[in-house]
Amino acid sequence: SSCILLHETGMLDLLLEYVSEIYVPGELLGVIEEELRKIPVVQPELAEQKISLLESCKKLGMQPVKTEVPEMEQDYNIEKWYGTICKCTAFHNGALWITNEKRQGIHANNVIEALYQDKLITEYLYQKYSDGYTEIDEASIVLLRKRGSYRLLVDEDVLAEWKEYDLLEAISKNYSILYLESMSENIMQKQQEICLKTKICGQLKSLEEHLKRIRDAGKLKFYPMRGQREGMPYSNMLTSLLEAVGRDAMSICIDDRMMTSYSNIGGAAYIYNTFDVLRILYINQKFSLEKYCSVLQKLNDANVQYTLPPEEFLMYAIKLSDIEGERLAESRMLAGIRKNVLRTLSKQSYISTDLSDH
């Protein structure tokens, strides 16, 4: 995590100008490769299609509705449970439930059939969609032809199918379409998950390439791994690193909240966290006060919580703030510092955690 923070803030190369070599655990590049393997970005095209579907639903004035959950016995079949929820939600909203599930609600094919019988969709669209379809029910078609009497609660897969066949607009003109609010939430959650995974993969690949460049330049060294325990790569790296720096009396930079509560290992190997390293670089004039505060602001904005802000950062933020009347106006930078301090001193903070024996 120290490597990631230094790389993301652009400080890793500055650190290399200050020190002769950087040592990392021997497994680090392998662990990065494994992390990249474990967090693949799955089906981004499908997620984009779902986002497009949601935008079309909103554009055509379709209405999301909250799920109505009836009281059920604890022992229930999950598939039947979904059908019951949809039926209950449809009934609560004066709607018919449209689905592709057999023997559940009204099959989606009946909607197309009803519109075609009333000449509300073209022969071309009807033939394109209805080629080989089944599940036609005359009673359902009679209900669907009374378009002013019912709204339609439509499943996500049905909406996607109608969009694929260019039927969504024609259907929305003739029916008031509803969809479950959870559909929108699930689509957005999946999109956010894909965006986050894409970002993480990008950061790890960028870090990997950076470390390889440093290695090829001869400034990145690898400590051998010792005492390997299967399935515990991070513990293995930490153990090997602590053993090595304790033996060689070398300082260690590590973002571990418990480890950095100590000042040294064996009286000679000093322990720093990434914020300490940034401060050392600033004190040794490797970058300006403005750059130092800009990096700290970036970490604040990213909710990287670790220590109380340095005095220089606080004074810099105060000097840049305006005076309104007789009071100091809270700038965005000051607000970020305040939130960071409140998080650090909160009951949930690592500072409030009881010390552990280790």
Side-chain angles (χ1 to χ4, degrees):
S1 61
S2 294
C3 284
I4 290 172
L5 278 181
L6 289 167
H7 170 69
E8 286 293 312
T9 54
M11 295 291 108
L12 191 52
D13 286 332
L14 284 176
L15 178 61
L16 286 166
E17 294 176 9
Y18 182 68
V19 298
S20 57
E21 295 172 326
I22 291 177
Y23 284 80
V24 295
E27 266 190 0
L28 179 59
L29 290 176
V31 168
I32 292 175
E33 285 286 349
E34 178 62 14
E35 290 292 350
L36 286 168
R37 187 191 67 79
K38 288 193 302 186
I39 52 170
V41 179
V42 181
Q43 297 180 312
E45 297 85 5
L46 179 59
E48 289 174 7
Q49 290 173 9
K50 288 176 177 285
I51 288 291
S52 176
L53 171 63
L54 187 59
E55 290 173 350
S56 295
C57 290
K58 292 177 179 177
K59 183 179 178 180
L60 293 170
M62 299 181 190
Q63 182 183 347
V65 292
K66 291 185 178 180
T67 303
E68 298 294 331
V69 182
E71 292 184 7
M72 296 288 291
E73 297 179 5
Q74 288 186 347
D75 186 21
Y76 59 83
N77 179 286
I78 189 63
E79 293 182 3
K80 291 181 179 178
W81 174 244
Y82 173 75
T84 303
I85 288 175
C86 290
K87 288 176 182 177
C88 182
T89 304
F91 177 79
H92 184 81
N93 288 278
L96 302 173
W97 175 36
I98 308 301
T99 178
N100 277 331
E101 297 293 324
K102 294 182 179 179
R103 296 181 297 278
Q104 289 281 346
I106 294 177
H107 200 280
N109 294 343
N110 293 291
V111 177
I112 308 304
E113 189 69 31
L115 288 175
Y116 178 67
Q117 289 183 16
D118 287 341
K119 296 181 170 42
L120 294 170
I121 57 173
T122 65
E123 177 79 20
Y124 171 76
L125 285 178
Y126 174 70
Q127 293 298 338
K128 183 180 175 183
Y129 181 86
S130 65
D131 184 25
Y133 77 32
T134 56
E135 306 298 329
I136 297 300
D137 176 66
E138 291 300 331
S140 296
I141 292 173
V142 170
L143 283 176
L144 289 164
R145 294 182 73 178
K146 300 176 182 178
R147 283 178 294 282
S149 303
Y150 300 100
R151 299 194 285 178
L152 305 183
L153 176 67
V154 187
D155 280 356
E156 179 184 343
D157 62 326
V158 176
L159 291 171
E161 192 175 73
W162 288 349
K163 187 175 190 300
E164 180 185 352
Y165 284 94
D166 300 317
L167 287 162
L168 209 53
E169 186 172 354
I171 295 170
S172 65
K173 285 179 178 178
N174 291 283
Y175 293 102
S176 176
I177 304 294
L178 312 177
Y179 59 90
L180 293 179
E181 201 173 61
S182 57
M183 179 188 99
S184 173
E185 294 168 355
N186 292 338
I187 289 174
M188 295 308 299
Q189 183 178 348
K190 185 66 177 177
Q191 179 70 3
Q192 289 168 3
E193 180 184 319
I194 287 176
C195 288
L196 178 60
K197 285 186 175 183
T198 301
K199 180 182 178 182
I200 292 172
C201 285
Q203 289 173 326
L204 287 176
K205 285 178 181 176
S206 177
L207 173 63
E208 181 185 38
E209 291 169 1
H210 197 167
L211 291 175
K212 286 179 178 178
R213 287 197 302 271
I214 298 170
R215 177 200 62 190
D216 295 342
K219 298 207 72 171
L220 185 68
K221 307 293 182 182
F222 296 90
Y223 269 128
M225 300 295 295
R226 302 181 186 278
Q228 296 283 55
R229 298 179 67 181
E230 189 175 350
M232 301 180 69
Y234 290 98
S235 294
N236 293 336
M237 287 197 295
L238 176 59
T239 302
S240 299
L241 204 57
L242 291 175
E243 181 182 320
V245 298
R247 181 186 64 245
D248 298 342
M250 187 180 296
S251 298
I252 179 173
C253 176
I254 182 168
D255 280 336
D256 180 281
R257 287 157 175 74
M258 286 299 184
M259 286 306 306
T260 46
S261 63
Y262 298 94
S263 58
N264 60 68
I265 302 170
Y270 293 98
I271 301 173
Y272 302 102
N273 62 46
T274 307
F275 287 85
D276 296 326
V277 171
L278 292 174
R279 184 166 174 76
I280 289 169
L281 291 174
Y282 166 66
I283 290 172
N284 284 274
Q285 300 181 339
K286 291 299 176 183
F287 48 78
S288 65
L289 173 63
E290 290 76 14
K291 179 65 175 177
Y292 182 41
C293 293
S294 173
V295 169
L296 293 175
Q297 177 67 30
K298 182 177 180 179
L299 295 173
N300 254 359
D301 290 344
N303 291 324
V304 178
Q305 178 194 352
Y306 202 80
T307 59
L308 294 172
E311 178 184 337
E312 294 92 343
F313 185 30
L314 180 58
M315 295 305 298
Y316 180 80
I318 290 174
K319 287 177 181 178
L320 289 183
S321 299
D322 295 326
I323 301 293
E324 293 180 355
E326 297 181 353
R327 302 185 65 178
L328 184 70
E330 186 176 64
S331 62
R332 191 176 71 85
M333 186 176 286
L334 272 179
I337 293 173
R338 176 175 58 80
K339 291 174 183 176
N340 181 279
V341 170
L342 290 175
R343 283 196 306 267
T344 303
L345 299 179
S346 71
K347 290 183 179 180
Q348 290 74 35
S349 168
Y350 67 92
I351 288 179
S352 303
T353 305
D354 293 335
L355 292 178
S356 303
D357 293 328
H358 62 284

